[in-house]
Amino acid sequence: MLEIEDLSVSIGGKQILKDVNLRIGPGETHALFGPNGTGKTTLLNAIAGIPRYAVDSGKIIFKGMDITQMPMDERAKLGIGMAFQRPPAIRGLRLKDLIKIINPQADAAAILKKMDFDAFGEREVNRGFSGGEVKRSEMVQLLAQQPDLVMLDEPDSGVDLENIKLIGGAINQLTQKDIRPSSRTKSGIIITHFGHILEYMKTDRAHVMVGGSIVCSGNPSEILEQIKKSGYEGCVACLCPA
Ligand code: ADP
Ligand code: MG
């Protein structure tokens, strides 16, 4: 589904990502861990194609196509979807109208109900929403889009316990963890700090990013255990000795 080859990315002339390699197969969902400011959001934004993230070298391959230079809207049409860490509010656009723009066939009422968000359909997108409400608004948009690769940038931050279950359930559905493994075709990547949401959704593999590079990859629960025990640096030293 996704192949990142030796990707280096800079923002405003400052290098953030260094030689990142990552492969996510169809039906797989990966977790991405790492300290603040290490480049996790930069990686997802570069895959999404936000213009200010300059690819200095390396390639992004999606479904076998080189999308490294492709405009963002074309990537979305090809099946890349993203829940942003801090999405903007959109004045003058109601959430239920955005759902129709994303996918005219979508059942807006059913999607809003699923996320316990009925009352927000008439509201302007993210305008005056609380932190947790913004996260549910992002999930509503992804449920309308049904992307083949779903990228989630801290979908759990600022979300209360009850809604974490709701969001975890929606992610499982988007990444087809609710059907048998051999039938799965969709993929996902999730950035999270707490791991709490991982109790409500399934991940197949995890990576630790430090200083703009992926320094360790492995089993999600083992890596999370190590991070909890000895921090990111300790996790790296323990699981991926040089
Ligand atoms: P993470 O998601 O891992 O916390 P980010 O990818 O958001 O980290 O940020 C990586 C680094 O890039 C940080 O040092 C951040 O300050 C820097 N950065 C992000 N956006 C910009 C920008 N628009 N201009 C300059 N530096 C930026
Ligand atoms: Mg981030």
Side-chain angles (χ1 to χ4, degrees):
M1 181 70 73
L2 179 73
E3 293 175 77
I4 307 280
E5 293 173 10
D6 293 321
L7 190 73
S8 295
V9 170
S10 58
I11 313 169
K14 181 184 162 205
Q15 188 177 12
I16 309 292
L17 299 183
K18 296 175 196 96
D19 296 324
V20 171
N21 287 282
L22 181 67
R23 292 171 75 95
I24 303 181
E28 293 177 9
T29 298
H30 294 207
L32 181 61
F33 301 124
N36 285 325
T38 201
K40 304 180 299 297
T41 293
T42 300
L43 177 61
L44 296 202
N45 286 352
I47 297 168
I50 297 179
R52 70 172 175 278
Y53 294 80
V55 173
D56 298 322
S57 59
K59 274 188 198 160
I60 305 168
I61 313 282
F62 178 62
K63 295 182 186 172
M65 274 169 284
D66 186 337
I67 62 162
T68 316
Q69 302 301 331
M70 189 181 278
M72 189 175 190
D73 60 322
E74 287 178 30
R75 298 186 201 200
K77 283 178 197 142
L78 273 185
I80 296 181
M82 175 136 168
F84 291 91
Q85 186 173 2
R86 278 184 293 268
I90 307 175
R91 203 178 278 237
L93 179 63
R94 290 180 303 181
L95 183 57
K96 69 173 198 189
D97 295 327
L98 178 57
I99 293 171
K100 287 293 168 200
I101 293 168
I102 293 169
N103 178 2
Q105 269 85 51
D107 183 346
I111 291 171
L112 289 165
K113 190 169 171 52
K114 183 178 171 56
M115 293 314 294
D116 193 18
F117 221 49
D118 314 62
F120 292 79
E122 298 292 334
R123 302 250 315 250
E124 293 167 295
V125 178
N126 297 339
R127 198 157 174 223
F129 289 15
S130 72
E133 288 163 357
V134 165
K135 299 295 173 178
R136 275 191 285 160
S137 160
E138 290 293 279
M139 294 312 301
V140 161
Q141 294 165 52
L142 284 173
L143 287 168
Q145 186 190 355
Q146 293 286 327
D148 295 325
L149 173 68
V150 53
M151 303 196 290
L152 304 143
D153 196 347
E154 301 195 21
D156 49 348
S157 70
V159 179
D160 61 48
L161 213 68
E162 204 169 310
N163 285 305
I164 283 197
K165 279 188 202 173
L166 212 58
I167 288 175
I171 295 171
N172 267 339
Q173 194 189 46
L174 284 166
T175 54
Q176 297 178 316
K177 298 306 188 196
D178 54 345
I179 64 173
R180 64 175 202 278
S182 59
S183 307
R184 293 174 194 157
T185 56
K186 300 205 173 196
S187 307
I189 179 163
I190 175 169
I191 298 172
T192 177
H193 280 288
F194 308 108
H196 191 62
I197 192 164
L198 301 180
E199 289 167 27
Y200 301 103
M201 59 170 285
K202 277 194 205 136
T203 48
D204 303 286
R205 202 167 161 73
H207 312 274
V208 181
M209 180 179 272
V210 176
S213 300
I214 288 173
V215 293
C216 190
S217 302
N219 174 289
S221 45
E222 282 175 24
I223 288 193
L224 198 62
E225 255 333 281
Q226 279 302 324
I227 293 170
K228 282 182 182 161
K229 220 163 44 185
S230 49
Y232 293 108
E233 300 293 344
C235 156
V236 172
C238 171
L239 289 171
C240 296

